Amino acid sequence: MTAIIMIIFVLLLILAVPVGLTVAITSMLPSLFSESFTVSGVYVLRSMLGGVNSYPLLAIPMFVLSGIIMSRGGVSKKLFEVFTYFVGKMTAGVPCAVVITCLFFGAISGSAPATVAAVGSMTIPLMLEMGYDKKFCVALVATAGGLGVIIPPSIPFILYAQATGTSVSDMFLAGIIPGILIGLILMCYAVFYCKKHGEDKAKINVMVDDLHARGFRKVFFSSLFALLTPVIILGCIYTGVTSPTEAAVISVFYSLIISLFVYRTLKIRDLWGIFREAVRTFCPILFILAASVAFSRILTLMHVPQTVSAWMTGSFTNKIALLLVINLVLLVVGMVMDTSPAILILAPILLPIVESFGVDAVHFGIIMVVNLAIGFVTPPIGVNLFVASSLSDVPVMDIAKKAMPMIILFFVALLLITYIPQISLLLV
């Protein structure tokens, strides 16, 4: 029965049935296929409702809303200007400023697609004006946007903590160094690319000189409130002043205040559209979350985690080989499944296996999220690719091909994070 149900699950995904609906339907199948399986549809519905009745999960819609407000409020432009002021005249200074902006905006939104949309809509046209290759610009933003789920606060970190009982604060702390590491690797590639293909320094200097003409004080103080956003959010969490959920609510009010009254880039009439967009963004996540909780409970009752665990521990006696296989599995999953259901379904299955080999739960959470972050820029799902394509009219496959060297470097960083636990656990 288990094999038939998993085949149906895969077929529904191949037929492009929405993931949340696929998971909900699959959760109902065991009781239909076997009378001895006493779990009814009512139990599945109760599990779905109980799964989303969680205080920590309130952080997700709040971070989604905060990220959309910041995006509409032009915060990404303020961040890009201040970073370009400092590094713009260096080799690959502007592409490096794009990566740093993605790092900071990821620390505001917690979402990879939101980071690509907010940073890409502003930086891609500017980079084209400066003479950079269009496909390189789009691929860089799409890849660097994956940092949005690694740099805290991160929505996938919250989901992983919810699925495994791990501390959200520990996950946030553990994501800082891996996120910075991947950002530095992407900047090194940008420097290599620009040295190989050259830059139009005359056009670049026009923009950077304009920023310098405005003066450091004016550029810095116009960006100060944007720069303070991740400091305030993460500072409240790490100092113990607030929980992650409370910090998420603070981020919404802070983003509203600076967008409405400080930068004045939003009007009161804009808020209704922002709230609608936030609801449209979060509702699919909420349904997937509810269905995944029910599905994971059904899998447990069918002894699937125990079966998988017994097979993997019997097949692999070496931790290095086990982690490599799990990484490859997660990479494939990230190519065909969205991050949220992948974490909610697989984390409860895989975590006991790796823990039996001495892998820390927080460390494995970072491994899992970095794996799935690579999925944001790999076809056929590759959400970042589709967002970047919609911003630039560059075909998805062209972006993927141009991004391939960066994806390979992303994978190298993943291997370092996997086999050097201190990268993730140094701050925890």
Side-chain angles (χ1 to χ4, degrees), residues 237-423:
I237 297 171
Y238 299 149
T239 57
V241 174
T242 66
S243 68
T245 303
E246 292 162 344
V249 176
I250 290 172
S251 74
V252 172
F253 282 98
Y254 181 78
S255 60
L256 279 172
I257 291 168
I258 66 171
S259 298
L260 288 172
F261 305 115
V262 179
Y263 295 139
R264 298 182 181 178
T265 47
L266 288 180
K267 306 293 183 185
I268 296 294
R269 62 175 176 269
D270 298 327
L271 296 183
W272 177 247
I274 289 172
F275 293 149
R276 288 180 61 186
E277 183 180 349
V279 171
R280 284 199 302 268
T281 302
F282 175 65
C283 279
I285 298 175
L286 182 67
F287 186 74
I288 290 170
L289 172 64
S292 298
V293 170
F295 188 50
S296 64
R297 292 181 183 177
I298 295 297
L299 291 178
T300 301
L301 291 172
M302 293 169 63
H303 304 292
V304 171
Q306 295 90 326
T307 303
V308 173
S309 177
W311 178 79
M312 295 196 80
T313 52
S315 302
F316 301 97
T317 56
N318 185 288
K319 183 169 76 171
I320 294 175
L322 175 73
L323 288 174
L324 183 60
V325 169
I326 287 177
N327 274 325
L328 293 174
V329 170
L330 289 173
L331 285 170
V332 173
V333 169
M335 292 179 186
V336 298
M337 186 182 290
D338 192 33
T339 306
S340 300
I343 289 173
L344 293 167
I345 293 170
L346 295 178
I349 296 174
L350 296 177
L351 181 59
I353 298 171
V354 296
E355 281 187 323
S356 68
F357 281 80
V359 178
D360 185 84
V362 173
H363 178 213
F364 182 67
I366 301 300
I367 294 172
M368 195 169 196
V369 172
V370 172
N371 262 295
L372 298 172
I374 297 175
F376 279 112
V377 284
T378 50
I381 300 297
V383 179
N384 284 12
L385 298 177
F386 287 95
V387 174
S389 178
S390 68
L391 294 174
S392 61
D393 295 324
V394 177
V396 167
M397 290 310 298
D398 288 351
I399 302 173
K401 290 176 184 176
K402 197 69 175 181
M404 191 53 63
M406 290 177 269
I407 295 172
I408 292 171
L409 290 173
F410 219 126
F411 183 71
V412 171
L414 169 63
L415 292 178
L416 291 174
I417 292 165
T418 299
Y419 295 113
I420 307 176
Q422 291 78 9
I423 294 175

Side-chain angles (χ1 to χ4, degrees), residues 27 50 81 84 141 197 216 219 221 224 259 328 332 389 401:
S27 300
E81 285 181 349
T84 304
V141 172
H197 297 277
F216 168 75
V219 172
F221 281 102
L224 179 61
S259 298
L328 293 174
V332 173
S389 178
K401 290 176 184 176

